[in-house]
């Protein structure tokens, strides 16, 4: 198997205005700022020409730089609650090209709220992407102890409304496995992505992670679980 000569950039989008956990991207978790885990995993993978953190926040920028990330500019667009992450990635690629003369064959979007995804996961995802010839790839994980086939919503009278009515009577071992996307490792060919500005483009493929590596932190309950898992990993 020949060496992969494609140039790669990792972009870690990290805005400062998180609401559910204020300043989530740099909240301390198991002794380090949250974003540090993603930066360190990207750098340790050894596959990137550059690991870029895109942020609108000076404090995040300082911390990210102290852990070895590149901060070519503070983001002045797509930094509010309604910002689309794919737009952020496209904007960073455009700025890197136009303002700094840097272009890359492949772009990796690594969300900073996924601290348990490690360098081996990134390398494996990159290898699958390269060998498959895919244009877009997103990470996902299989549902585990919970069974989404038996999910229900509650109406105004708190009565359950089954989401998958045809599956409620089936045994769990007879049900197909379901998967959920995670923002841990998304990859695209840069030229194509700059045109579509969307990873969910026809023909995208998936890279499967285990649930721990796929975990992303959105609220304090997630944060508490991640702290436990990281403390177990660190002994």
């Amino acid at each position: 198997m020949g060496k992969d000569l494609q140039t790669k950039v990792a972009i870690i989008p990290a805005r400062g205005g998180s609401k559910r956990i204020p300043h989530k991207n740099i909240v301390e978790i198991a002794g380090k700022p949250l974003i540090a885990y993603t930066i360190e995993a990207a750098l340790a993978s050894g596959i990137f020409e550059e690991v870029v953190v895109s942020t609108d926040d000076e404090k995040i920028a300082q911390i990210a730089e102290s852990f070895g990330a590149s901060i070519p500019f503070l983001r002045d667009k797509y930094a509010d609650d309604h910002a689309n992450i794919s737009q952020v990635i496209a904007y960073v690629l455009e700025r890197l090209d136009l303002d700094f003369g840097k272009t890359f064959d492949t772009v990796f979007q690594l969300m900073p709220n996924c601290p348990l995804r490690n360098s081996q996961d990134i390398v494996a995802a990159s290898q699958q992407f390269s060998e498959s010839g895919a244009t877009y790839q997103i990470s996902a994980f299989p549902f585990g102890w919970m069974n989404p086939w038996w999910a229900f919503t509650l109406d105004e009278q708190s009565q359950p409304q089954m989401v998958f009515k045809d599956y409620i009577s089936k045994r769990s071992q007879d049900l197909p496995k379901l998967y959920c996307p995670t923002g841990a490792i998304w990859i695209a060919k840069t030229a194509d992505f700059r045109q579509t500005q969307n990873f969910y483009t026809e023909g995208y493929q998936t890279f499967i992670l285990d649930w721990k590596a796929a975990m992303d932190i959105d609220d304090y309950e997630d944060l508490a679980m991640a702290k436990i898992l990281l403390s177990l990993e660190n002994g």
Side-chain angles (χ1 to χ4, degrees):
M1 182 169 55
K3 184 178 180 182
D4 182 6
L5 300 178
Q6 297 288 299
T7 57
K8 304 175 183 67
V9 62
I11 299 177
I12 304 170
R15 70 184 184 91
S18 54
K19 293 292 191 296
R20 283 175 287 186
I21 303 178
H23 252 83
K24 176 178 68 177
N25 290 314
I26 54 174
V27 70
E28 186 171 302
I29 176 170
K32 285 188 289 192
L34 178 60
I35 196 171
Y37 291 92
T38 295
I39 295 170
E40 290 178 339
L43 292 172
S45 74
I47 66 172
F48 298 113
E49 276 65 37
E50 193 161 357
V51 175
V52 175
V53 167
S54 173
T55 184
D56 59 315
D57 187 283
E58 290 188 5
K59 188 173 183 180
I60 292 176
Q62 291 170 0
I63 290 173
E65 193 168 36
S66 74
F67 281 91
S70 170
I71 317 291
F73 57 90
L74 286 179
R75 193 188 333 147
D76 56 353
K77 295 178 67 174
Y78 308 119
D80 59 23
D81 288 339
H82 307 292
N84 180 295
I85 297 298
S86 290
Q87 289 179 317
V88 172
I89 302 301
Y91 175 64
V92 174
L93 290 171
E94 181 181 29
R95 288 286 304 271
L96 289 173
D97 182 4
L98 297 179
D99 296 349
F100 302 93
K102 296 180 179 181
T103 59
F104 305 90
D105 299 306
T106 310
V107 58
F108 287 59
Q109 173 188 291
L110 306 177
M111 296 302 291
N113 59 328
C114 299
L116 288 131
R117 162 258 292 114
N118 60 31
S119 60
Q120 290 85 5
D121 296 322
I122 295 171
V123 170
S126 178
Q127 184 174 352
Q128 176 181 296
F129 184 75
S130 176
E131 292 178 352
S132 70
T135 304
Y136 303 88
Q137 178 176 291
I138 69 167
S139 49
F141 67 97
F143 282 99
W145 55 271
M146 73 292 286
N147 191 338
W149 286 112
W150 297 339
F152 59 84
T153 60
L154 293 175
D155 64 18
E156 293 179 355
Q157 286 74 44
S158 296
Q159 293 299 303
Q161 305 296 316
M162 303 309 301
V163 176
F164 303 108
K165 295 179 180 179
D166 294 338
Y167 291 88
I168 188 61
S169 60
K170 292 183 180 293
R171 302 183 307 167
S172 59
Q173 60 264 41
D174 296 331
L175 295 168
K177 182 165 283 191
L178 290 179
Y179 298 84
C180 180
T182 169
I185 313 167
W186 290 21
I187 312 175
K189 292 182 178 177
T190 304
D192 296 273
F193 180 81
R194 290 184 67 175
Q195 293 295 316
T196 62
Q197 299 189 21
N198 189 357
F199 287 92
Y200 283 111
T201 301
E202 184 176 355
Y204 75 86
Q205 70 173 10
T206 57
F207 175 74
I208 304 303
L209 291 163
D210 69 53
W211 71 269
K212 294 186 295 296
M215 182 181 182
D216 56 45
I217 296 173
D218 290 323
D219 55 33
Y220 283 106
E221 289 185 353
D222 300 335
L223 186 64
M225 181 179 288
K227 286 180 178 179
I228 293 169
L229 293 171
L230 284 167
S231 65
L232 290 173
E233 282 197 357
N234 296 334

